Structure formats: structure tokens, C-alpha cells
């Protein structure tokens, strides 16, 4: 009896002091993926969020690029079709993944969001009309041409000039194996779709796959001039593999995410001589968004996290830590943070959304280009 009274007294004392019990902490699952810099930035953003929201814990489920696991969008689609919970409370999606969800699972699979539930949406200036309100953009990203200024004096300004440069400088250009890194997926998509009408790049219509031959002929033509090791053409693994080759001087040029180059350059991980430029037509970029599955039982907590992610506080972190393109006006950000984006043109995006055609494109690359190295 005394011990029961004692425990009750301790509980009353804790409540009076403002202490919170673990049972009051709600855990939400955030599904994301990509390169290491994406994960490290999410870790910092989550830590900052949890400081101001002590009753919400964010569990990051992260799938690194090229590991072959089921991405969150596929998990959500499969769970929705099977009528079971996905276990996802917040899902990071690119435009292709969002389109797949909306086409295969429908709008009922996602929570529609507005300023009433996400107040900071009023400051988001990024155009995400294709989301229909079922996702919120939180950062921009774009692929650029990364090159070593010491060795490249006549920098290509167009894709045609790049292809000529590759032929004139054998083994000095490389791109990673498509499917292992988004920057090299962009090189594949750009090389093929630069030969097609503009509308093809945002269409999942199967008719376009019948017009890929010219693009693959170009890639086959460029293949003998790619980076070699041990007297064999080699396509490195993942974005980082290609960037590492550039950093150590094995190649002079590669397509790469702008944020990866700027981030690693700022931390001294790659030489100061590495610079970036955009071609005409540009490599592809995109808005990366977050969505809330309808089957989440923790939607209120998830919306608080989404609201924080598009706040000025979090946007400063994304730019500072990841060199991401912000989705709110630069005037809302810290001056030193804005200055860190110097040299990156962010006024326009060239986006692509191919649906299932993207996977077909990568398989065709493996069947037509990768085999040439064997």
C-alpha cells in the first residue's frame, strides 16, 4: 500500500514539474531516399524539429540510391492496392513517383493539404501545380555539368558541344550507371529526349518509347569515348562514384547534382577547381516534395512536420546543409545562406515525368549500352 502511494506521489510530482511521459511522445515515420547528403540533411532537420516539438519523434527510413530496395512510393501503392497500412506517415516523392501514386492508387491514397492545415504554405513560391494539392514541395534540385577548371578551358555551352567535346577528349568524360544515381539518370533522359518533342519529357505515353532509337544511337556512338579503367569502358556506381573520379582527376567532366557539388566543395571534400555550368538545353531538375498517406494514423503530427519543413528556419537548413534550391523567396532566408548559392541559376527547371517509361528506359540502356563494355 505504501509503495503504491509512493509511486503515485512521484507521478504527481513529475506532472507538477512539467515532465512528459514517453507515452505522450508520438513517433512518425518519414520515408526518403537518395544520396548520403540527403540523409545527413534530413538528420539535422529532424533534430531541429524535435527540439521545438518535444512530443513528436521523427523516425527516418532511408533508402540509399542504387541499393535496389522498394522505394516508399512503391510501398504505398502496393499497400493501398492490398488494403493494408503502408506504415508511412510522411513520404518524400519526386514528380514521377507522385504521378505513379496518383495514377495507380488515386487521390484517395494521399491527404490533400492547404494553408488551413499547413500555414507556412502561404510562403511557398515554387510552382507545384501537378501535385493537385496532394504534396508540398520542400526543395528544388537540378543536374548540371561539373568540370575541372584547370583542365577544361573551352567549356561546352550546349548539349551538341558536349557530345563533340566527349569525342575530342577520349576517356575524360564519365557518367554513372543509370539506376544507381539520379544525375546519370538525367544524362540518359536528356540524351534520349533531346531528340524528341518537348511534350514527350512529361508524358508516360508508350508511343514515345518507339522513338528512342536516335537517342540510343547517340549513346552508342559516345560509348567508346567514355572513361576507361583496365582498358575497359567503365560506368561508375552511384553519383558519388562519378564525382570521386572527377575529384581525383580520372575524368574532367561529369553530369552531377548541383547540390552535391556545392555541398562537397564547401566542406573541402572536392577541389576548389571543380565548377558547374548548365547546358542548353539544360539537364533535368525537379521539385522534391513530401506527402502524407491517407492511411497514416498520425496525420496531425505529420502536418506539423510538413509545416516546419517549409518554414524559413528549415529552408535555411536545407540550403546551408545541402545547397538545395529553396521553395520560398530568398528574401525570407538568411543573407549568408543565400550567398552560398552563388553561381547556381535557379530561375528555371527542366523537369521530366515519364512514369513507367523511366524504368523501361533504364532497362534498355542496360541491354543496349552496358553490354558494349563486356
Amino acid at each position: 500500500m505504501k509503495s503504491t502511494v509512493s509511486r503515485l506521489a512521484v507521478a504527481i510530482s513529475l506532472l507538477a514539474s512539467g515532465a512528459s511521459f514517453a507515452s505522450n511522445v508520438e513517433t512518425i515515420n518519414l520515408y526518403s531516399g537518395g544520396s548520403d547528403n540527403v540523409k545527413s540533411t534530413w538528420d539535422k532537420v529532424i533534430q531541429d524539429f524535435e527540439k521545438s516539438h518535444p512530443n513528436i519523434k521523427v523516425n527516418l527510413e532511408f533508402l540509399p540510391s542504387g541499393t535496389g530496395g522498394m522505394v516508399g512510393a512503391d510501398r504505398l501503392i502496393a499497400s493501398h492496392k492490398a488494403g493494408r497500412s503502408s506504415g508511412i506517415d510522411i513520404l518524400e516523392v519526386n514528380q514521377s513517383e507522385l504521378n505513379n501514386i496518383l495514377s495507380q492508387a488515386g487521390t484517395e491514397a494521399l491527404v490533400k493539404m492547404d494553408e488551413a492545415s499547413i500555414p507556412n504554405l502561404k510562403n511557398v513560391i515554387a510552382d507545384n501545380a501537378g501535385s493537385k494539392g496532394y504534396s508540398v514541395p520542400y526543395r528544388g534540385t537540378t543536374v548540371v555539368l561539373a568540370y575541372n577548371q584547370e583542365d577544361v578551358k573551352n567549356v561546352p555551352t550546349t548539349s551538341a558541344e558536349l557530345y563533340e567535346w566527349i569525342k575530342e577528349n577520349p576517356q575524360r568524360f564519365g557518367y554513372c550507371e543509370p539506376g544507381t544515381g539520379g544525375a546519370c539518370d538525367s544524362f540518359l533522359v536528356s540524351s534520349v529526349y533531346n531528340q524528341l518533342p518537348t511534350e514527350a519529357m512529361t508524358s508516360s505515353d508508350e508511343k514515345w518509347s518507339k522513338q528512342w532509337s536516335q537517342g540510343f544511337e547517340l549513346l552508342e556512338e559516345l560509348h567508346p569515348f567514355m572513361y576507361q579503367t583496365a582498358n575497359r569502358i567503365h560506368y561508375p556506381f552511384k553519383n558519388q562514384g562519378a564525382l570521386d573520379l572527377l575529384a581525383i582527376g580520372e575524368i574532367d567532366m561529369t553530369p552531377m547534382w548541383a547540390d552535391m557539388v556545392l555541398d562537397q566543395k564547401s566542406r573541402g571534400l572536392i577541389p576548389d577547381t571543380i565548377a558547374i555550368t548548365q547546358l542548353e538545353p539544360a539537364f533535368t531538375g525537379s521539385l522534391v516534395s513530401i506527402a502524407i498517406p491517407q492511411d497514416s494514423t498520425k496525420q496531425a503530427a505529420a502536418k506539423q512536420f510538413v509545416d516546419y519543413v517549409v518554414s524559413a528556419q528549415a529552408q535555411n537548413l536545407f540550403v546551408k546543409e545541402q545547397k538545395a534550391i529553396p521553395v520560398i523567396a530568398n528574401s525570407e532566408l538568411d543573407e549568408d545562406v543565400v550567398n552560398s548559392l552563388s553561381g547556381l541559376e535557379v530561375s528555371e527547371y527542366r523537369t521530366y515525368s515519364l512514369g513507367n517509361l523511366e524504368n523501361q528506359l533504364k532497362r534498355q540502356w542496360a541491354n543496349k549500352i552496358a553490354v558494349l563494355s563486356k
Side-chain angles (χ1 to χ4, degrees), residues 201-216:
M201 194 168 273
T202 53
S203 171
S204 59
D205 194 321
E206 290 283 344
K207 71 178 182 180
W208 299 116
S209 64
K210 297 176 175 59
Q211 301 181 44
W212 288 347
S213 57
Q214 187 176 353
F216 277 102

Side-chain angles (χ1 to χ4, degrees), residues 111-178:
V111 173
K112 194 162 189 176
M113 293 176 279
D114 53 31
E115 291 181 19
S117 57
I118 315 291
N120 281 320
L121 267 179
K122 66 181 182 295
N123 296 321
V124 175
I125 60 174
D127 182 10
N128 199 27
S131 76
K132 302 176 183 178
Y134 290 97
S135 72
V136 172
Y138 81 91
R139 65 178 170 91
T141 181
T142 190
V143 175
V144 293
L145 183 66
Y147 65 97
N148 191 320
Q149 298 176 91
E150 287 188 339
D151 300 311
V152 181
K153 302 306 180 184
N154 297 313
V155 183
T157 60
T158 68
S159 57
E161 289 178 5
L162 172 61
Y163 303 146
E164 285 304 311
W165 188 96
I166 292 171
K167 294 175 187 176
E168 293 170 0
N169 298 271
Q171 302 180 38
R172 304 311 300 169
F173 180 89
Y175 66 98
C176 67
E177 181 181 337

Side-chain angles (χ1 to χ4, degrees), residues 301-322:
K303 287 178 180 178
Q304 290 185 60
F305 184 73
V306 173
D307 191 55
Y308 165 78
V309 165
V310 292
S311 69
Q313 182 176 344
Q315 289 292 296
N316 274 318
L317 274 174
F318 282 114
V319 179
K320 181 179 179 180
E321 300 295 336
Q322 196 177 344

Side-chain angles (χ1 to χ4, degrees), residues 75-374:
R75 179 189 178 103
L76 176 59
I77 292 169
S79 299
H80 182 80
K81 289 181 176 179
R84 62 173 185 267
S85 173
S86 64
I88 303 171
D89 298 302
I90 302 171
L91 175 63
E92 179 184 87
V93 288
N94 58 36
Q95 192 61 51
S96 290
E97 290 168 336
L98 178 63
N99 288 347
N100 284 342
I101 293 172
L102 294 177
S103 63
Q104 296 186 49
T107 55
E108 63 270 21
L110 298 174
V111 173
K112 194 162 189 176
M113 293 176 279
D114 53 31
E115 291 181 19
S117 57
I118 315 291
N120 281 320
L121 267 179
K122 66 181 182 295
N123 296 321
V124 175
I125 60 174
D127 182 10
N128 199 27
S131 76
K132 302 176 183 178
Y134 290 97
S135 72
V136 172
Y138 81 91
R139 65 178 170 91
T141 181
T142 190
V143 175
V144 293
L145 183 66
Y147 65 97
N148 191 320
Q149 298 176 91
E150 287 188 339
D151 300 311
V152 181
K153 302 306 180 184
N154 297 313
V155 183
T157 60
T158 68
S159 57
E161 289 178 5
L162 172 61
Y163 303 146
E164 285 304 311
W165 188 96
I166 292 171
K167 294 175 187 176
E168 293 170 0
N169 298 271
Q171 302 180 38
R172 304 311 300 169
F173 180 89
Y175 66 98
C176 67
E177 181 181 337
T180 70
C184 304
D185 293 349
S186 175
F187 181 78
L188 168 61
V189 171
S190 297
S191 298
V192 172
Y193 277 77
N194 282 351
Q195 322 302 323
L196 301 178
T198 302
E199 63 266 26
M201 194 168 273
T202 53
S203 171
S204 59
D205 194 321
E206 290 283 344
K207 71 178 182 180
W208 299 116
S209 64
K210 297 176 175 59
Q211 301 181 44
W212 288 347
S213 57
Q214 187 176 353
F216 277 102
E217 287 170 7
L218 169 65
L219 292 169
E220 186 173 349
E221 181 184 345
L222 295 176
H223 173 80
F225 303 95
M226 291 294 123
Y227 168 71
Q228 290 188 24
T229 182
N231 297 316
R232 181 172 174 268
I233 301 295
H234 176 67
Y235 294 94
F237 185 69
K238 301 182 71 171
N239 297 317
Q240 191 62 55
L243 187 54
D244 287 344
L245 290 177
L246 179 64
I248 63 175
E250 284 291 295
I251 58 176
D252 298 326
M253 202 178 284
T254 187
M256 191 53 54
W257 291 114
D259 56 309
M260 279 190 70
V261 177
L262 292 174
D263 172 56
Q264 295 192 28
K265 191 173 178 179
S266 70
R267 293 190 285 142
L269 300 178
I270 59 176
D272 285 338
T273 55
I274 304 302
I276 60 175
T277 189
Q278 189 59 282
L279 301 177
E280 177 59 42
F283 288 123
T284 56
S286 66
L287 287 171
V288 184
S289 304
I290 44 181
I292 300 175
Q294 192 65 253
D295 64 30
S296 170
T297 59
K298 302 170 183 177
Q299 294 180 18
K303 287 178 180 178
Q304 290 185 60
F305 184 73
V306 173
D307 191 55
Y308 165 78
V309 165
V310 292
S311 69
Q313 182 176 344
Q315 289 292 296
N316 274 318
L317 274 174
F318 282 114
V319 179
K320 181 179 179 180
E321 300 295 336
Q322 196 177 344
K323 302 301 183 287
I325 300 172
V327 298
I328 64 176
N330 284 357
S331 59
E332 300 292 326
L333 303 172
D334 295 342
E335 183 177 357
D336 62 322
V337 170
V338 175
N339 290 339
S340 70
L341 288 172
S342 178
L344 178 61
E345 176 57 54
V346 299
S347 60
E348 293 183 4
Y349 290 98
R350 188 184 184 213
T351 61
Y352 74 93
S353 178
L354 309 180
N356 290 329
L357 288 180
E358 184 173 356
N359 289 329
Q360 292 183 39
L361 191 69
K362 293 173 188 176
R363 284 196 296 270
Q364 198 162 133
W365 184 92
N367 293 332
K368 290 188 174 184
I369 308 301
V371 295
L372 299 175
S373 300
K374 297 180 180 179

Side-chain angles (χ1 to χ4, degrees), residues 21-31 46 49-50 53-61 85 87-90 295-305:
F21 292 98
S23 60
N24 290 335
V25 177
E26 193 166 29
T27 299
I28 54 178
N29 295 316
L30 164 63
Y31 276 64
I46 289 170
F49 170 79
E50 291 178 344
H53 297 77
N55 292 329
I56 302 175
K57 177 178 173 55
V58 182
N59 174 50
L60 176 63
E61 296 285 350
S85 173
I88 303 171
D89 298 302
I90 302 171
D295 64 30
S296 170
T297 59
K298 302 170 183 177
Q299 294 180 18
K303 287 178 180 178
Q304 290 185 60
F305 184 73

